[in-house]
Amino acid sequence: MNTGLRRIREALTRRFRVYRANRARARSSAIFIGITGSSGKSTSASLLGRILASHGTVHTQVLANTMKSLVATLYKRMGRAGKVDFVVFEAGAYGVDTIRPMAEMLKPHVAVVTMVRLEHFASFRTLENVAREKRALIDALEPGGLAVLNADDPHVMGMASGLRHRFITFGVSEIADYRVSDVGAAYPDGLALSIHWRSGKLELKTHLPAEHFWLPVAAAVATALELGVPKENVQAAVATFQPLLNRCEVVSVEGGPRFIVDSAKAPWHSINLALEMIAKATVQRKRIVLGQISDYGGSTRKYAQAYTAARGLADEIIYTGDNAHRSRAPQADRECGRFVELRTPKDVSDHIKKTAVPGELILLKSAPNLHLERVALAWKHDVKCWIPACGKKEGCQDCGLFEVPFEEHREFTRNRRLERRRQRFRRLFGG
């Protein structure tokens, strides 16, 4: 009975929050911008929010890109924020028909699509299915809305067919309305690029460590310029923007190694992008740590291909996790130390701590389940949570419990919650 009542209460609470969210959206005078795509949407949304902040008040919702997050953004945060000029929301697809409900609630004035790639293979199976899912955001555009499309991706450009709204394009293609050229990055030098548009040429310099970031930068810049942000504001915001946590985030240790932490996701199409970044880096010693490849957990062929591609780029390649044995690395590479197979992130951390060379560059690349960011965090924090896979989707920095042993997490969070309640009561009653 108690279980049934709890379910009824939870269902009623969800319905009430959805009602409040729809009401808040209807009342808001903000310009709503939805961003989706197989990759690049988090960086695009974060950068766009930063650029727009120079032009008005902005609420940006990234990373937590589900229906639950959208409802919370609208019914709770929008009400507390006062007048908001822009709302930037990252819409993620986790299965068939997951974007449409978000799009219909968001009712965007601007819809941005970065790219279409075959992620979440078990759910979508084909690129056409992925494109159909992403198109739901464009189909929900408000009358007079604007679509911002990747001119280099035929599946994205296919969304322009039959579109009743205005659209503009970005990309390296000659036909792009915002054409990208002069792309270059070689760590420690950050990404630089130029964007040609109807009002001239915009030269941009960033702190982003790899060339493939040109795409989210171009998506954000094109959208901001279309919304009337002065180009000087755009340049200034781009120049100070830092990589997101665990998305090619650079972590430098004084007197120790430098890490590029790319542990938030690892779809197959991103593996070569990460390797190209390491190949172009101008440092003397390089190491690559590869964990889980998304959607290909049991594919020996994919892990072997990744090792073949990485072999000539780094002084040492470390495979970790349940698929570390799938590299097909030659015995000679194992014996000479070019390839190292380690089962857990803790093993990787211990190995790097013992063998680190000052100034070397270490790429940490994996799907999020292994939380390889702990390897870098251990150089600046006393990391005590080393369970190989905890089941949490957020990064260790967002979780905040990496300095607490995993088996103590539940008690720690319970005590922390009780202490917060005590503090609220003290403030309430002046104690």
Side-chain angles (χ1 to χ4, degrees):
M1 185 65 176
N2 289 337
T3 301
L5 288 174
R6 185 171 64 251
R7 289 176 178 173
I8 292 173
R9 184 172 63 249
E10 290 173 351
L12 289 174
T13 299
R14 284 194 299 270
R15 291 179 65 180
F16 177 68
R17 288 177 176 174
V18 168
Y19 166 77
R20 290 277 302 274
N22 283 319
R23 189 177 179 186
R25 172 62 186 92
R27 290 181 170 183
S28 177
S29 60
I31 294 176
F32 284 78
I33 304 160
I35 300 180
T36 192
S38 299
S39 286
K41 56 185 178 292
S42 297
T43 300
S44 297
S46 297
L47 177 55
L48 179 58
R50 186 179 185 87
I51 297 171
L52 292 174
S54 68
H55 198 60
T57 54
V58 186
H59 179 79
T60 304
Q61 181 67 50
V62 298
L63 304 181
N65 52 21
T66 63
M67 184 66 173
K68 182 178 180 181
S69 300
L70 177 58
V71 169
T73 294
L74 294 173
Y75 106 92
K76 186 185 295 183
R77 298 178 185 175
M78 287 291 294
R80 295 175 180 174
K83 184 180 183 302
V84 177
D85 298 306
F86 303 97
V87 175
V88 182
F89 182 79
E90 172 194 351
Y94 297 96
V96 176
D97 202 35
T98 52
I99 286 185
R100 181 190 55 79
M102 288 188 283
E104 291 177 351
M105 176 176 285
L106 185 66
K107 296 182 176 66
H109 300 96
V110 181
V112 184
V113 184
T114 59
M115 68 171 69
V116 170
R117 297 291 186 274
L118 191 53
E119 296 186 27
H120 306 293
F121 177 76
S123 297
F124 293 112
R125 296 293 177 179
T126 68
L127 284 169
E128 288 72 22
N129 288 337
V130 177
R132 190 176 301 112
E133 183 68 24
K134 304 299 183 184
R135 187 189 172 109
L137 186 66
I138 293 177
D139 290 339
L141 276 168
E142 287 282 82
L146 169 68
V148 182
L149 306 176
N150 181 354
D152 303 327
D153 189 319
H155 287 91
V156 176
M157 286 304 296
M159 299 177 191
S161 176
L163 190 62
R164 294 171 296 177
H165 305 277
R166 185 171 73 91
F167 71 91
I168 57 100
T169 60
F170 65 92
V172 298
S173 170
E174 290 290 336
I175 67 169
D177 298 307
Y178 290 82
R179 183 172 62 83
V180 176
S181 69
D182 308 317
V183 177
Y187 180 85
D189 293 333
L191 168 69
L193 69 153
S194 298
I195 295 182
H196 306 261
W197 58 307
R198 60 182 177 272
S199 295
K201 178 180 178 182
L202 192 62
E203 295 183 350
L204 301 168
K205 293 184 178 180
T206 81
H207 290 289
L208 299 166
E211 290 185 359
H212 64 264
F213 280 104
W214 72 261
L215 194 153
V217 170
V221 168
T223 305
L225 291 172
E226 285 293 315
L227 290 172
V229 180
K231 65 179 183 179
E232 295 80 10
N233 293 15
V234 172
Q235 285 177 310
V238 170
T240 57
F241 182 75
Q242 297 289 337
L244 301 181
L245 287 177
N246 305 333
R247 284 168 164 77
C248 289
E249 173 195 10
V250 178
V251 178
S252 297
V253 179
E254 186 175 355
R258 292 168 286 180
F259 295 92
I260 295 183
V261 185
D262 197 11
S263 60
K265 57 189 299 186
W268 175 245
H269 70 83
S270 74
I271 301 299
N272 280 335
L273 295 177
L275 297 182
E276 288 174 8
M277 172 177 58
I278 295 301
K280 292 180 179 179
T282 57
V283 297
Q284 289 188 341
R285 178 172 168 81
K286 307 173 185 178
R287 284 200 264 191
I288 296 171
V289 181
L290 181 65
Q292 181 82 15
I293 301 174
S294 303
D295 290 327
Y296 291 97
S299 174
T300 297
R301 181 171 61 89
K302 292 296 185 183
Y303 285 90
Q305 287 177 351
Y307 180 74
T308 300
R311 185 179 180 276
L313 306 179
D315 299 277
E316 181 181 79
I317 300 164
I318 302 170
Y319 269 36
T320 188
D322 293 339
N323 296 287
H325 62 288
R326 300 184 185 279
S327 69
R328 290 182 177 169
Q331 187 61 33
D333 285 4
R334 297 172 183 268
E335 291 174 355
C336 73
R338 179 179 291 275
F339 175 77
V340 179
E341 180 181 320
L342 299 169
R343 283 295 169 180
T344 70
K346 181 64 166 66
D347 294 335
V348 175
S349 179
D350 291 342
H351 173 72
I352 290 177
K353 280 284 185 74
K354 292 176 182 177
T355 59
V357 174
E360 71 172 320
L361 184 63
I362 303 173
L363 169 68
L364 304 176
K365 178 67 177 177
S366 176
N369 61 315
L370 288 180
H371 293 290
L372 280 188
E373 61 269 18
R374 290 177 290 182
V375 176
L377 284 169
W379 285 81
K380 298 187 176 184
H381 301 270
D382 183 15
V383 177
K384 294 179 180 177
C385 178
W386 285 108
I387 186 169
C390 66
K392 295 182 180 181
K393 294 182 179 180
E394 69 265 38
C396 291
Q397 301 94 324
D398 293 324
C399 169
L401 298 177
F402 53 84
E403 294 182 305
V404 180
F406 180 77
E407 58 273 13
E408 298 177 16
H409 281 195
R410 181 171 296 180
E411 181 180 0
F412 181 88
T413 53
R414 184 178 66 86
N415 291 337
R416 184 173 61 183
R417 187 164 54 248
L418 289 173
E419 181 57 31
R420 288 173 178 170
R421 289 176 181 173
R422 293 190 190 102
Q423 291 176 0
R424 285 198 297 269
F425 276 112
R426 292 191 193 105
R427 290 194 297 268
L428 181 63
F429 296 107

